[in-house]
């Protein structure tokens, strides 16, 4: 029979979801049984352990969920395989996302202490800084479907109809555990005190506040916005965590360049020079500039990406970004 120490270790490793320690302890029990002459039992235990290890190593399948009926115009679904290691983020944001992943993986352990893992998150920051990618990473790391809410299908001009559609979405959040992303959230989360606000939008916000307050599902709800300053103050306390994304610093910009161009031949490049030139660009801007550089190399039959090519595409992206922000600021005014 297994010793008391074996049993304690076995139960503790199971509760901690420490598979390596669990299997190691189980093998020790099998070895112990073999030593005291229980050969048949030892062989059966080893066989069970080997089968369990094999099942653990097999990729888990995600149940396919496809929105139908009215939901098909409100939700799109994807099954991303992205991982946190693929993102270039500052240490603070990366640590916050990693903590959410760990809490979700230990959901039962956390609940055994009467606590709840973080799952209602507000993501704020400039476009292209990683908010949407974070949703894909959370879904990929946790092996969940990613549902993106189509706000253009949710918001209508008819009184009460938008709130009814929000109810459908929150019913789905309750029924199907997944990652649910409300992108450009400011379109429904605008403060109720704005002078140009209309009654229907106020009702939509009130409905959202009510639904998210009442939500007790196991799904992860993300609301992403580029304009936190216009969100209604009552929204902030409805979220478990608020993560603020920023433009990449010099070191991060160099890392993005190197990652995106890793599979291509390049001339000797001055990374500090390009890190300086790309100041003010987002993660997505730099990734797109790298793709543009690869295309330039291909269409011009160049043997490698040159400094001249990289300078050109970075300048184009900076010009494009400045134009977009000027138009956005003009529209807001």
């Amino acid at each position: 029979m297994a010793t008391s120490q074996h049993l304690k270790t076995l139960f503790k490793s199971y509760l901690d979801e420490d598979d390596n320690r669990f299997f190691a302890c189980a093998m020790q029990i099998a070895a112990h049984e073999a030593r005291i002459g229980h050969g048949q039992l030892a062989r059966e235990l080893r066989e069970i352990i080997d089968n369990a290890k094999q099942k653990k190593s097999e990729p888990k399948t995600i149940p396919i969920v496809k929105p139908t009926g009215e939901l098909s115009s409100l939700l799109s679904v994807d099954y991303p395989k992205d991982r946190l290691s693929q993102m270039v983020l500052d240490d603070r944001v990366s640590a916050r996302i990693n903590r959410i992943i760990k809490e979700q993986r230990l959901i039962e352990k956390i609940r055994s202490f009467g606590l709840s893992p973080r799952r209602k998150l507000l993501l704020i920051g400039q476009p292209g800084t990683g908010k949407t990618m974070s949703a894909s990473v959370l879904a990929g790391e946790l092996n969940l479907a990613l549902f993106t809410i189509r706000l253009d299908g949710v918001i209508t001009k008819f009184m009460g109809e938008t709130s009814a559609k929000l109810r459908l979405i929150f019913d789905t959040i309750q029924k199907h555990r997944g990652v649910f992303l409300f992108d450009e959230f400011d379109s429904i989360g605008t403060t109720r005190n704005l002078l140009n606000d209309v009654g229907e939008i106020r009702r939509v916000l009130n409905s959202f506040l009510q639904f998210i307050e009442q939500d007790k599902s196991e799904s992860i709800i993300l609301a992403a916005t580029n304009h936190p300053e216009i969100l209604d103050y009552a929204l902030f306390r409805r979220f478990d965590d608020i993560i603020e994304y920023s433009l990449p610093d010099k070191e991060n910009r160099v890392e993005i360049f190197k990652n995106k161009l890793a599979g291509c031949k390049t001339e000797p490049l001055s990374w500090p020079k390009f890190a300086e030139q790309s100041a003010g660009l987002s993660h997505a801007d730099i990734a797109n500039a790298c793709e543009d550089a690869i295309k330039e190399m291909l269409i011009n039959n160049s043997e490698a990406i040159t400094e001249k090519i990289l300078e050109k595409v970075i300048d184009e992206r900076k010009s494009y970004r400045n134009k977009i922000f000027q138009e956005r600021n003009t529209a807001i005014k």
Side-chain angles (χ1 to χ4, degrees):
M1 292 295 291
T3 66
S4 58
Q5 186 60 44
H6 281 144
L7 291 175
K8 285 192 290 185
T9 302
L10 202 65
F11 280 109
K12 191 173 188 308
S13 59
Y14 174 79
L15 291 173
D16 290 342
E17 297 186 2
D18 188 341
D19 291 339
N20 291 332
R21 189 151 59 105
F22 181 86
F23 288 130
C25 182
M27 288 299 291
Q28 289 173 11
I29 294 173
H32 175 75
E33 295 300 322
R35 284 196 299 271
I36 61 177
H38 299 162
Q40 180 62 30
L41 175 58
R43 285 191 293 275
E44 290 177 356
L45 287 174
R46 290 193 187 101
E47 185 178 347
I48 292 170
I49 294 166
D50 288 341
N51 289 337
K53 283 183 176 180
Q54 184 176 353
K55 287 183 178 180
K56 279 284 184 181
S57 65
E58 293 173 354
K60 297 179 181 178
T61 57
I62 305 174
I64 302 298
V65 178
K66 185 177 181 180
T68 58
E70 188 173 1
L71 276 175
S72 62
S73 65
L74 306 178
L75 298 171
S76 61
V77 63
D78 193 15
Y79 299 88
K81 300 295 182 184
D82 299 307
R83 294 292 181 266
L84 183 57
S85 59
Q86 297 172 239
M87 296 189 74
V88 179
L89 297 169
D90 66 58
D91 294 339
R92 175 185 53 83
V93 174
S94 183
R96 300 275 289 280
I97 296 175
N98 192 40
R99 180 176 64 184
I100 292 161
I101 293 169
K102 287 181 177 180
E103 287 189 12
Q104 287 293 322
R105 287 175 176 166
L106 295 175
I107 187 169
E108 295 302 328
K109 183 177 181 180
I110 289 173
R111 284 181 173 170
S112 70
F113 283 82
L115 303 172
S116 298
R118 288 172 174 81
R119 63 178 192 83
K120 299 175 184 178
L121 313 171
L122 178 62
L123 313 181
I124 61 178
Q126 292 189 33
T129 50
K131 302 185 297 298
T132 304
M133 181 65 177
S134 294
S136 293
V137 163
L138 285 171
E141 289 280 4
L142 298 171
N143 208 40
L144 297 173
L146 171 61
F147 295 87
T148 302
I149 288 80
R150 297 173 177 167
L151 291 178
D152 58 338
V154 174
I155 300 174
T156 73
K157 63 182 179 180
F158 300 107
M159 186 177 297
E161 188 172 311
T162 301
S163 295
K165 290 183 177 183
L166 273 177
R167 182 180 293 279
L168 273 177
I169 291 170
F170 274 90
D171 285 345
T172 304
I173 290 173
Q174 177 68 40
K175 293 176 183 176
H176 302 287
R177 184 175 183 236
V179 177
F180 288 79
L181 173 63
F182 290 83
D183 205 1
E184 298 184 2
F185 180 65
D186 40 277
S187 59
I188 64 172
T190 305
T191 177
R192 289 165 287 189
N193 296 325
L194 289 181
L195 294 176
N196 62 346
D197 192 12
V198 295
E200 179 64 1
I201 293 298
R202 285 199 297 272
R203 282 187 286 272
V204 171
L205 176 56
N206 288 334
S207 295
F208 183 88
L209 289 169
Q210 179 183 352
F211 290 142
I212 198 168
E213 180 80 21
Q214 295 175 348
D215 176 69
K216 305 297 180 186
S217 70
E218 294 188 352
S219 293
I220 299 173
I221 302 173
L222 307 178
T225 178
N226 307 328
H227 299 289
E229 70 280 359
I230 65 173
L231 292 183
D232 192 274
Y233 182 75
L235 279 166
F236 289 89
R237 68 181 182 84
R238 261 60 173 204
F239 291 96
D240 303 322
D241 209 346
I242 299 171
I243 303 178
E244 185 173 2
Y245 293 74
S246 58
L247 294 175
D249 60 20
K250 192 172 183 179
E251 291 181 0
N252 283 344
R253 292 197 295 274
V254 170
E255 189 176 352
I256 297 170
F257 277 120
K258 289 182 176 181
N259 286 351
K260 294 299 180 180
L261 298 177
C264 296
K265 185 178 179 181
T266 64
E267 288 186 350
L269 300 173
S270 173
W271 295 119
K273 169 187 173 182
F274 292 113
E276 191 68 33
Q277 184 186 355
S278 59
L281 293 182
S282 70
H283 302 72
D285 291 327
I286 297 173
N288 288 332
C290 290
E291 291 181 1
D292 291 341
I294 296 170
K295 292 174 187 176
E296 282 283 328
M297 177 189 69
L298 294 174
I299 63 177
N300 292 311
N301 294 319
S302 301
E303 294 184 358
I305 294 175
T306 64
E307 288 205 348
K308 185 177 180 180
I309 289 176
L310 208 50
E311 286 174 0
K312 175 187 175 184
V313 296
I314 292 173
D315 282 340
E316 288 175 348
R317 284 291 160 181
K318 291 189 79 169
S319 175
Y320 176 74
R321 183 175 181 83
N322 290 338
K323 180 181 178 182
I324 293 296
F325 269 88
Q326 286 173 2
E327 292 177 351
R328 181 186 294 270
N329 291 336
T330 301
I332 292 174
K333 290 178 182 178

